[in-house]
Amino acid sequence: MTTERVTRRLVVRGRVQGVFYRESMRQEAARLGIAGWVCNRRDGTVEAIVQGTGDAVEAITRWARRGPEDARVQSVDVSSAEGEFSGFEKRPTL
C-alpha cells in the first residue's frame, strides 16, 4: 500500500463529453479520497488533475480508462503534475 501523495495530469480521449464523465469522475474521486479537478476541453478531451495516495491515484487512473457506462475511452495520457488541492471539483470547459 502506497501512502506517499502523488499528483498526475490525465488527458482522456474518446467519446468522453456529454456522457456524465466529469460528474462520474467527481463521485469516484470522492469515494477514493482524491483531490484535484476535472474539466472538458474544447478539443473534445477531458482533462483532470488527480492527487492522493499512490494507490488511490492508480485506482482513479484505472477508472479513467473505462469511465462511466456511456463513455468510449480511446486513450488516457498520464503525466506528472504539481499543485496543492483540497477537495475535487468539476470545472467549466477550458
Side-chain angles (χ1 to χ4, degrees):
M1 184 168 172
T2 308
T3 57
E4 181 181 326
R5 191 163 70 164
V6 297
T7 307
R8 297 286 183 265
R9 175 178 180 253
L10 309 179
V11 178
V12 187
R13 291 182 171 77
R15 193 177 83 182
V16 292
Q17 291 189 10
V19 293
F20 210 56
Y21 196 100
R22 289 179 303 157
E23 179 59 22
S24 297
M25 180 176 260
R26 188 196 62 74
Q27 293 172 8
E28 187 69 8
R31 189 181 75 75
L32 292 168
I34 293 281
W37 53 265
V38 62
C39 73
N40 286 337
R41 295 183 55 99
R42 294 192 199 290
D43 65 2
T45 62
V46 168
E47 179 179 7
I49 299 292
V50 295
Q51 182 175 73
T53 66
D55 289 345
V57 168
E58 229 176 85
I60 201 159
T61 302
R62 278 194 308 273
W63 179 92
R65 293 182 197 287
R66 291 187 318 273
E69 185 177 343
D70 290 335
R72 297 294 174 263
V73 177
Q74 292 174 345
S75 67
V76 178
D77 296 338
V78 181
S79 56
S80 293
E82 294 184 7
E84 292 294 320
F85 305 95
S86 61
F88 193 89
E89 64 180 339
K90 189 171 72 171
R91 292 185 174 176
T93 300
L94 281 178

